[in-house]
Amino acid sequence: MDDDMESGSLGPYQDKPRTFPNMRSKAYTPLIFRILLGINTRVLFMLLLLGLGAVFYVGASTSPILVFVFSVCILSFLVSIYLTKWVLAKDEGPPEMVQISDAIRDGAEGFFRTQYSSISKMAMLLALVILCIYLFRSTTPQQESSGLGRSSSAYITVAAFLLGALCSGIAGYVGMWVSVRANVRVSSAARRSAREALQVATRAGGLSALVVVGMAVLGIAILYATFYVWLGVDTPGAMKVTDLPLLLVGYGFGASFVALFAQLGGGIYTKAADVGADLVGKVEQGIPEDDPRNPAVIADLVGDNVGDCAARGADLFESIAAEIISAMILGGTMAQRCKIDPSGFILFPLVVHSFDLVVSSVGIFSIRGTRESGVKAPIEDPMTILQKGYSITIVLAVLTFGLSTRWLLYTEQAPSAWFNFALCGLIGIITAYIFVWITKYYTDYKHEPVRAIALSSSTGHGTNIIAGVSLGLESTALPVLVISVSIVSAFWLGHSSGLVDEAGNPTGGLFGTAVATMGMLSTAAYVLTMDMFGPIADNAGGIVEMSQQPESVREITDVLDAVGNTTKATTKGFAIGSAALASFLLFSAYMDEVSAFAHEPLKQVDIAIPEVFVGGLLGSMLIFLFSAWACSAVGRTAQEVVNEVRRQFIERPGIMEYKEKPDYGRCVAIVASASLREMIKPGALAIISPIVVGFLFRILGYYTGHPLLGAKVVAAFLMFATVSGILMALFLNTAGGAWDNAKKYIETGALGGKGSDAHKAAVTGDTVGDPFKDTAGPSLHVVIKMLATITLVMAPVFL
């Protein structure tokens, strides 16, 4: 961090009780944006037109469907520009609010710059490893027949990997850029009315969501169209279109790689600062949350942006990319076996997410402000308003999904197949809605589970922890049952669609599951909007508290913050469900890839074989070890923050009387450096483990006469890791969210309110749950999907 960020001096504290550290450093803008901003406006406009022309030309040369996809994505970017102008047109409030917001912005941008610099170096190193592996690997019969040699395949995969990593990084930057500018505007809006504050926070989250989803769809579509034209797909002697989606796997791996380290680093940052601020500030000193006297408060608010907004943007980008690519692979494979036109089945995921941009935009704009103003007006339930928007989005998603299936999945061989697949999509949409409802039930303090944790706090810290752990364990049951029913139902709907191969065997089962996954993610942009709403509202509450606004304003931001905790928890549950379905699809694609390289079928994996069973155990172990390392990283970093905050309170006793100013920048610097250091070990574990396990068992299989042993062990590794990871992530996310909202419930005045013994016990539970819900839990569902993509990319290593 810069020296001026660490020092931060701005006059005697007692003279300026509402003046905060001038942590301004040079405004950070990524290199790619600095280059664009340095170009003459007319030249930039011409380049933009040429770029759009090239994109549409390549799209039209590939398929008219891609022209539709490109058009919708560009329109969504125009909507995002409108939302950006609308949000930025809102006032930033009084100078004290602006100054705090500037400090948060600089801390977030400084950490983002350092973190993504480290991630980019690791990505380049991994790209070099992938290049070496692909240059010396064997080729598949499909690649040999199309004339795609080792070097071409290697460079294509590496280019796709780097592009996926770049786009994932941009998605994270967009999420952070929006949040650090919207937070102060939500704070200012809360001085007028709760509904306006809700609308500003929702539209800010919405513009970020539309950019992230639009960029994921556009990136894959452009890559697909470029490869199609460049490689002369479907021309005599060239690659078949059904094999083209396999070249996109590197894109998904690059997105997963960046999302993992963004989630880890950001999660460690935000929760270490939060834990340190709460333990010393709330428990030891008895001061309110986000009190300006707490030296760790700026670091805590910075963490909301880098941990929740930037990381979640990269995370959802990766989720959509992995789901689209896996569905394209399975659609192409099924069409090839059925001898039907594959274009509709391959491009179907892109169309679904194009409609996602449309229906989510309608849902976002359905949340409107009211003419009533003034903080004394009755506060509406923000969750009810957000749920209405989600319901509108769901209804429109059902209609557009049915239209998409009839348009693209109708085939003469099975005229009713499109209807079966439409029902598969409906299953996915219903699954998403149920997931949101289940997580809301377990994490919203309006319902019994959270109130039970709050009640347990009245008898001490230990009973609070026991209640939270038991609730987290219980909360895994319903989601698993829902996922199980949806997978089996979608599989059998696809299986009975009437699509058969040359031998008369039904082939639509796996694609039915893929369509259900698409249905679940068909409202992803609105779900990300609700997710971004949480940290923006949290930041707004911190700015209101630090700038010492009236209590009535803080009441509004407290309500928004509590709802934000619930929306964050529900979207994490949504992400886990989609990760489970997407991993199942990628697992099937991995089996097909191994069969292609090995020149013999791999249809099933027998876990009764000792080596294969050991591979499964190692996969489960990875999940627990990764979670342990992620949580301990938060603990170690939080200890540094606690020691620093205690030191400042001891050495500067005037802080409590507002006579001395805390050194906020010191805590920011501690958390930033520690989180970057701590993210390496768990991240490396997740990336290296499947490669090492597969390679070692490949060697063992070579000497024992079992050439596919390495691939089978990795399949078991992936299968067990997916199952264990889903359960662990559900437990961690729900328990952490419930602990947090139990504390929020007591802070509303229940069970003695703030400062009571029950409140102190609830703060302890919330502190325990912080690394659960914002570090280990969100990182796990990224790990699940990354394991699936890395095994698919590295399949040649295991043979």
Side-chain angles (χ1 to χ4, degrees):
M1 306 300 291
D2 297 326
D3 293 337
D4 55 346
M5 284 186 64
E6 293 186 21
S7 58
S9 56
L10 203 146
Y13 191 76
Q14 62 269 31
D15 295 339
K16 299 183 179 181
R18 289 192 180 186
T19 300
F20 299 89
N22 185 9
M23 298 169 67
R24 296 295 304 183
S25 57
K26 290 183 179 179
Y28 170 63
T29 307
L31 177 62
I32 187 171
F33 293 118
R34 292 202 299 271
I35 294 172
L36 292 174
L37 291 173
I39 301 174
N40 180 273
T41 306
R42 291 183 179 179
V43 174
L44 185 61
F45 182 72
M46 291 302 298
L47 290 174
L48 182 62
L49 285 180
L50 287 173
L52 287 175
V55 165
F56 276 97
Y57 171 76
V58 171
S61 301
T62 305
S63 170
I65 298 170
L66 285 182
V67 176
F68 169 79
V69 171
F70 291 153
S71 302
V72 173
C73 289
I74 291 170
L75 286 174
S76 74
F77 291 148
L78 294 177
V79 173
S80 299
I81 292 171
Y82 166 77
L83 289 174
T84 302
K85 291 184 175 180
W86 187 91
V87 171
L88 295 182
K90 294 291 180 179
D91 70 284
E92 295 181 308
E96 58 267 23
M97 280 187 175
V98 177
Q99 209 164 13
I100 298 164
S101 175
D102 287 344
I104 296 168
R105 182 186 307 176
D106 285 328
E109 290 181 344
F111 177 74
F112 184 92
R113 178 172 61 248
T114 309
Q115 181 191 30
Y116 276 74
S117 174
S118 302
I119 292 174
S120 62
K121 292 173 184 174
M122 291 187 289
M124 294 301 295
L125 179 62
L126 186 56
L128 185 62
V129 172
I130 295 172
L131 180 64
C132 294
I133 291 173
Y134 271 65
L135 284 175
F136 295 101
R137 73 171 193 169
S138 59
T139 55
T140 64
Q142 294 88 344
Q143 290 172 339
E144 291 173 0
S145 62
S146 65
L148 187 66
R150 292 180 182 177
S151 58
S152 298
S153 177
Y155 290 121
I156 286 173
T157 303
V158 169
F161 170 81
L162 292 176
L163 181 62
L166 175 64
C167 291
S168 185
I170 293 174
Y173 178 74
V174 168
M176 184 209 66
W177 188 93
V178 170
S179 64
V180 297
R181 285 160 179 80
N183 52 16
V184 68
R185 290 169 170 84
V186 175
S187 301
S188 180
R191 298 182 303 148
R192 295 183 290 274
S193 75
R195 187 63 177 260
E196 183 184 350
L198 171 66
Q199 187 185 23
V200 175
T202 305
R203 290 197 170 188
L207 76 91
S208 175
L210 292 177
V211 171
V212 169
V213 176
M215 195 163 56
V217 176
L218 190 63
I220 294 176
I222 290 176
L223 203 61
Y224 177 89
T226 302
F227 288 160
Y228 187 97
V229 173
W230 179 42
L231 298 174
V233 173
D234 273 350
T235 57
M239 173 179 281
K240 294 181 179 178
V241 69
T242 51
D243 298 323
L244 182 56
L246 285 170
L247 298 179
L248 307 177
V249 172
Y251 185 90
F253 182 30
S256 299
F257 178 82
V258 171
L260 174 62
F261 283 101
Q263 190 71 69
L264 268 175
I268 293 168
Y269 187 114
T270 183
K271 290 302 108 180
D274 195 5
V275 168
D278 284 354
L279 285 179
V280 183
K282 286 185 179 180
V283 178
E284 296 182 6
Q285 299 295 329
I287 58 179
E289 185 172 4
D290 300 325
D291 192 286
R293 293 169 290 181
N294 194 324
V297 67
I298 289 290
D300 184 10
L301 295 175
V302 168
D304 291 333
N305 296 285
V306 299
D308 288 328
C309 293
R312 297 298 292 163
D315 181 5
L316 193 74
F317 177 92
E318 176 267 339
S319 295
I320 294 171
E323 178 265 328
I324 289 176
I325 293 168
S326 60
M328 291 174 80
I329 292 171
L330 291 175
T333 302
M334 184 194 69
Q336 185 179 28
R337 290 173 180 170
C338 297
K339 304 297 182 183
I340 56 178
D341 180 18
S343 59
F345 291 88
I346 292 174
L347 298 177
F348 179 68
L350 296 173
V351 173
V352 167
H353 285 290
S354 298
F355 278 122
D356 171 19
L357 293 168
V358 175
V359 300
S360 295
S361 297
V362 175
I364 292 164
F365 281 103
S366 71
I367 298 174
R368 307 178 65 85
T370 56
R371 294 182 179 179
E372 295 82 4
S373 62
V375 294
K376 293 184 179 180
I379 301 176
E380 300 175 80
D381 182 8
M383 180 56 78
T384 301
I385 299 170
L386 291 173
Q387 285 280 40
K388 287 180 181 177
Y390 186 48
S391 298
I392 292 171
T393 307
I394 285 280
V395 171
L396 292 175
V398 171
L399 297 176
T400 56
F401 205 96
L403 176 64
S404 302
T405 52
R406 180 62 181 83
W407 174 25
L408 298 174
L409 303 186
Y410 178 81
T411 174
E412 294 292 341
Q413 186 191 103
S416 63
W418 72 270
F419 185 71
N420 283 47
F421 290 128
L423 292 178
C424 292
L426 182 62
I427 287 173
I429 293 171
I430 293 172
T431 299
Y433 191 84
I434 293 175
F435 252 83
V436 169
W437 183 87
I438 290 172
T439 314
K440 179 176 175 291
Y441 172 74
Y442 278 110
T443 57
D444 193 336
Y445 63 57
K446 294 185 182 67
H447 302 293
E448 182 59 30
V450 172
R451 296 196 176 200
I453 295 178
L455 183 62
S456 70
S457 304
S458 60
T459 54
H461 300 249
T463 49
N464 172 281
I465 300 299
I466 293 170
V469 170
S470 61
L471 182 144
L473 294 171
E474 178 190 320
S475 69
T476 62
L478 285 177
V480 168
L481 291 175
V482 171
I483 291 174
S484 303
V485 171
S486 63
I487 289 177
V488 173
S489 302
F491 182 88
W492 282 105
L493 276 171
H495 188 76
S496 59
S497 64
L499 291 172
V500 294
D501 60 16
E502 292 177 316
N505 300 315
T507 59
L510 282 176
F511 188 70
T513 309
V515 174
T517 309
M518 287 180 260
M520 189 168 187
L521 285 170
S522 62
T523 56
Y526 190 87
V527 171
L528 181 59
T529 298
M530 293 198 297
D531 189 50
M532 292 289 188
F533 168 87
I536 291 173
D538 192 356
N539 253 216
I543 292 172
V544 166
E545 181 70 34
M546 288 195 71
S547 59
Q548 302 170 13
Q549 298 299 310
E551 185 64 28
S552 54
V553 181
R554 180 65 194 187
E555 287 176 5
I556 289 175
T557 56
D558 278 347
V559 171
L560 295 178
D561 186 15
V563 170
N565 282 333
T566 303
T567 59
K568 285 192 292 183
T570 55
T571 49
K572 287 168 188 170
F574 172 89
I576 293 168
S578 63
L581 293 173
S583 297
F584 177 72
L585 303 181
L586 288 168
F587 178 79
S588 302
Y590 166 76
M591 301 279 278
D592 289 339
E593 182 82 341
V594 170
S595 299
F597 277 108
H599 308 297
E600 60 178 282
L602 179 61
K603 298 292 185 183
Q604 52 191 326
V605 178
D606 186 1
I607 61 171
I609 299 173
E611 295 89 347
V612 175
F613 182 74
V614 168
L617 284 178
L618 292 174
S620 296
M621 178 208 70
L622 167 68
I623 297 301
F624 284 83
L625 186 59
F626 176 88
S627 302
W629 284 1
C631 290
S632 63
V634 174
R636 285 191 296 270
T637 307
Q639 287 174 17
E640 296 184 42
V641 178
V642 167
N643 291 332
E644 173 60 25
V645 175
R646 284 174 176 169
R647 181 192 67 79
Q648 290 197 35
F649 276 125
I650 293 171
E651 296 181 2
R652 302 183 183 189
I655 289 177
M656 291 299 292
E657 287 79 35
Y658 295 95
K659 294 179 180 178
E660 291 186 79
K661 178 173 79 279
D663 184 357
Y664 302 102
R666 179 62 185 155
C667 288
V668 171
I670 288 173
V671 179
S673 60
S675 58
L676 291 173
R677 181 180 66 248
E678 295 284 357
M679 75 178 184
I680 303 297
K681 189 169 75 170
L685 174 71
I687 293 170
I688 296 172
S689 294
I691 300 174
V692 171
V693 168
F695 185 70
L696 291 178
F697 279 95
R698 171 193 175 178
I699 295 173
L700 180 62
Y702 176 79
Y703 286 106
T704 57
H706 296 87
L708 290 181
L709 183 62
K712 291 178 179 179
V713 168
V714 169
F717 182 96
L718 178 59
M719 192 187 306
F720 279 58
T722 300
V723 172
S724 302
I726 291 167
L727 294 171
M728 179 67 83
L730 285 168
F731 162 69
L732 294 174
N733 285 331
T734 309
W739 267 318
D740 194 350
N741 272 349
K743 178 199 69 176
K744 298 287 184 188
Y745 176 62
I746 293 174
E747 288 176 348
T748 62
L751 302 171
K754 295 180 181 180
S756 64
D757 288 339
H759 183 241
K760 291 179 180 178
V763 170
T764 300
D766 178 35
T767 303
V768 172
D770 276 340
F772 283 20
K773 67 183 175 67
D774 285 320
T775 307
S779 298
L780 271 179
H781 61 76
V782 180
V783 168
I784 292 169
K785 287 171 288 187
M786 196 199 67
L787 288 174
T789 53
I790 196 172
T791 51
L792 194 55
V793 171
M794 298 292 183
V797 177
F798 315 137
L799 296 170

